[in-house]
Amino acid sequence: MSKLPKSLPNIEILDEKDKRLRKISKNVTFPLPEEDIKRIHDMIDYLEMSQIEDIREKYDLRAGMGLAYIQLGIAKRIFVIVYEVEEGKFDRYVVINPKIKSESEEMVYIAEGEGCLSINRPTEGIVPRHARMLINAFDEYGNEYDLRVREELSVAFQHEIDHLDGILFTDRIDSKNPYKNQNRYRSI
């Protein structure tokens, strides 16, 4: 487990009513300014802290796995994902200028429904996502990498890439029939 800060990083997440969430984010160039690197690390700390029960309760947080720059009102193609692989142990992903190289034909959905730190209301319905993907991206220091993601991690990557394109997960739920074609996809 990494050394977390003593206090919660100052992260202000936009609510879905904020029109900035609909902006399409722009690619960034390297090297990143120091303030971006610090913000990326603050976002990672915030997400990790939100997934640790006593810290989440102390600061009255909702647990979050991913956060895109646009959710902070900054239209840059950057997001982070913090994935708890076992109790208290996290994999951290910094994803800058992502490109989808391939995606599976198999589609899945999160059984209990997707959530988003920008959507502060209950939502019903399924969001079909690719079960597996191959992504090309850069880290905060400009190092290029390819990454295969699957299952929940694949869903999280697609959710955050949608943010970069001004799309919220609720846009992908059929408003007239929220569970439409549910039997065509695998629940995870």
Side-chain angles (χ1 to χ4, degrees), residues 12-187:
E12 289 187 35
I13 300 168
L14 302 181
D15 182 78
E16 68 179 307
K17 294 177 196 81
D18 194 307
K19 289 180 177 24
R20 289 177 288 176
L21 283 173
R22 298 305 187 163
K23 282 187 174 176
I24 295 178
S25 298
K26 304 266 187 265
N27 275 338
V28 300
T29 55
F30 294 97
L32 287 182
E34 205 49 53
E35 69 189 40
D36 277 331
I37 293 172
K38 182 188 182 320
R39 186 178 295 115
I40 287 166
H41 294 164
D42 283 351
M43 291 165 68
I44 289 169
D45 288 344
Y46 181 94
L47 290 173
E48 189 171 315
M49 292 170 88
S50 81
Q51 292 182 54
I52 299 170
E53 193 174 354
D54 15 342
I55 297 176
R56 182 171 62 244
E57 286 172 5
K58 176 181 176 182
Y59 292 107
D60 190 27
L61 302 174
R62 286 175 45 222
M65 185 174 161
L67 195 54
Y69 248 51
I70 195 65
Q71 290 178 271
L72 309 181
I74 305 164
K76 293 181 179 180
R77 292 189 79 77
I78 299 173
F79 68 83
V80 300
I81 289 178
V82 176
Y83 182 62
E84 190 168 24
V85 287
E86 59 186 63
E87 178 108 19
K89 184 179 182 315
F90 300 87
D91 283 345
R92 298 165 195 82
Y93 301 91
V94 174
V95 185
I96 301 175
N97 300 342
K99 289 186 180 47
I100 299 168
K101 291 178 86 172
S102 67
E103 45 200 13
S104 66
E105 285 184 29
E106 182 189 14
M107 303 294 283
V108 296
Y109 66 92
I110 302 289
E112 64 272 4
E114 280 188 37
C116 179
L117 293 174
S118 289
I119 297 181
N120 299 300
R121 62 182 169 89
T123 56
E124 293 257 332
I126 63 165
V127 182
R129 302 284 192 184
H130 296 279
R132 294 169 301 287
M133 296 173 54
L134 175 61
I135 304 284
N136 172 265
F138 296 86
D139 69 14
E140 66 270 45
Y141 305 108
N143 300 309
E144 188 173 9
Y145 64 90
D146 285 344
L147 179 67
R148 286 188 192 284
V149 290
R150 53 190 319 260
E151 306 291 317
E152 293 92 351
L153 210 45
S154 179
V155 169
F157 271 71
Q158 290 165 81
H159 178 110
E160 299 306 329
I161 288 170
D162 274 356
H163 273 304
L164 303 182
D165 294 328
I167 300 167
L168 298 176
F169 83 90
T170 50
D171 300 340
R172 297 202 180 272
I173 297 172
D174 186 312
S175 59
K176 292 179 181 58
N177 182 359
Y179 295 94
K180 182 179 179 179
N181 297 327
Q182 181 175 11
N183 58 341
R184 288 190 188 173
Y185 316 118
R186 182 166 55 85
S187 148

